[in-house]
Amino acid sequence: MKNLYVLAFTLISLSALAQTTIQYPQRLANYDAIFFDSGGHFDNGADELGMWANGGGAKQSVAWRNFTENGLTDGTPSTMAVGDSFTITVAATQAFGQIGVALLSSPTSTSGWDDRQNNYAVQVNLNGNGGAYDPWEVVSNAGTVNTSSINGSTNYSDFKFEFILNTETTMSVSINDGAEVFNITLNNINITGYAIYFADDWNGSSNANIYWKPSTEYTYAMTLGVDDHQGPETEVMALYPNPTSNNFQFNRNTTSVEILDITGKSVESYKGTFPKNQVFDISSLKSGIYIIKAQNNSGGHLTTKLVKI
């Protein structure tokens, strides 16, 4: 259930590879919809969003935000792709009710407390449960709950969450820079944004706000608009199938094949004389994105992305 996993996505020094990180300013104006009942939201400082939830009503606050290419409400909508990551940090104590963030897949409504998890792909919640103060939980496919060992308290702490889409249906959720990592199956695919929420901010000794911090960012893992290939037109190399779960092949002969993980580390290599349609087994590799570099003795060269599912 809990696995250590390399979560840092760094720039790979390949000419065909690019990585873009977009900052998501934490300002009230950058959220597409809000809801509150005896709660509310406020800009705290230059780039921090505060939330509170106390008073005579249900004591609830929710804010929804769509992913966009520039991180702002006027940007082009963006759907999470394999290899993309989203990172968000909250400074909080604990709550009599709930603190949480959920990644959503085109929610059909953003008008009430229940909609905070409308069409959720994954949730991360710190549940107060009326004073029980349970630890952070990751909720995924069909309500599956993975419980961490990280609790809230009456003292403020930063809780950092990183979500990395490994395949169309699976994701790694890291808490506090890999202190705990959960590899989960999504409840819904095609993630379009997120919701943050807060209910009943009594933390056991006082009412305490929470603060969504300026470290919020979205990273597009890489862009390979076209494969980088060289050689005579009759010798253009291609890899198939892609995505794949167990193996891949080339449509041309190869003399060198190297497989690199997302950090640029070589995880497998082959040298020799391999005919076209030679099967290269990757069943032992973890699911995720890899870079394949191949060449042959006819001047053909290929650098391309491979998705292992």
Side-chain angles (χ1 to χ4, degrees):
M1 180 176 66
K2 301 174 184 176
N3 299 298
L4 294 177
Y5 191 82
V6 177
L7 296 173
F9 278 69
T10 56
L11 184 65
I12 301 174
S13 57
L14 299 173
S15 60
L17 180 63
Q19 183 187 63
T20 303
T21 297
I22 303 298
Q23 299 298 318
Y24 273 60
Q26 285 295 357
R27 306 290 291 171
L28 190 57
N30 297 130
Y31 279 81
D32 299 281
I34 61 171
F35 164 82
F36 56 90
D37 182 355
S38 292
H41 316 75
F42 58 95
D43 293 328
N44 186 55
D47 188 11
E48 190 169 273
L49 181 68
M51 299 178 76
W52 59 276
N54 59 75
K59 307 176 184 178
Q60 298 169 343
S61 297
V62 191
W64 293 265
R65 189 169 186 172
N66 294 323
F67 290 143
T68 61
E69 291 183 355
N70 64 1
L72 304 176
T73 55
D74 63 354
T76 301
S78 179
T79 299
M80 205 168 192
V82 172
D84 289 359
S85 66
F86 175 66
T87 304
I88 189 167
T89 301
V90 62
T93 59
Q94 57 190 11
F96 199 75
Q98 185 182 69
I99 302 170
V101 55
L103 300 193
L104 308 177
S105 301
S106 299
T108 55
S109 177
T110 55
S111 60
W113 174 252
D114 290 343
D115 293 332
R116 74 195 187 282
Q117 297 161 357
N118 188 313
N119 285 355
Y120 80 89
V122 61
Q123 312 164 27
V124 182
N125 302 313
L126 181 63
N127 297 309
N129 288 328
Y133 303 122
D134 293 335
W136 287 96
E137 297 177 343
V138 178
V139 183
S140 55
N141 184 44
T144 300
V145 175
N146 286 327
T147 303
S148 79
S149 62
I150 301 172
N151 290 72
S153 72
T154 54
N155 298 315
Y156 273 93
S157 296
D158 285 355
F159 301 99
K160 181 179 180 181
F161 310 106
E162 184 176 23
F163 304 87
I164 302 177
L165 190 62
N166 295 324
T167 71
E168 184 182 36
T169 60
T170 64
M171 172 173 279
S172 295
V173 181
S174 165
I175 303 177
N176 291 348
D177 291 316
E180 296 200 33
V181 180
F182 301 90
N183 294 315
I184 58 96
T185 299
L186 298 174
N187 190 59
N188 282 292
I189 61 173
N190 298 323
I191 299 169
T192 57
Y194 69 94
I196 52 176
Y197 41 90
F198 192 23
D200 196 342
D201 62 21
W202 180 256
N203 70 5
S205 62
S206 65
N207 293 318
N209 300 333
I210 62 174
Y211 303 93
W212 299 92
K213 305 192 73 173
S215 55
T216 306
E217 60 186 29
Y218 188 105
T219 298
Y220 294 91
M222 55 188 174
T223 302
L224 290 173
V226 295
D227 290 338
D228 173 28
H229 51 73
Q230 300 174 359
E233 184 176 351
T234 56
E235 291 295 332
V236 170
M237 298 177 66
L239 175 152
Y240 68 95
N242 190 9
T244 184
S245 56
N246 294 311
N247 56 68
F248 65 87
Q249 303 172 55
F250 295 96
N251 66 331
R252 304 295 180 197
N253 71 81
T254 54
T255 55
S256 175
V257 179
E258 185 175 17
I259 305 174
L260 299 91
D261 67 14
I262 196 67
T263 70
K265 177 184 176 182
S266 179
V267 296
E268 190 66 80
S269 62
Y270 305 88
K271 291 188 182 297
T273 301
F274 307 103
K276 69 176 183 180
N277 304 324
Q278 170 76 33
V279 174
F280 294 92
D281 183 14
I282 57 169
S283 59
S284 63
L285 298 181
K286 294 180 179 179
S287 297
I289 295 178
Y290 295 88
I291 301 299
I292 309 298
K293 300 175 69 177
Q295 59 184 19
N296 61 24
N297 55 15
S298 300
H301 172 84
L302 173 68
T303 300
T304 191
K305 175 176 66 174
L306 174 68
V307 178
K308 167 78 161 58
I309 59 178

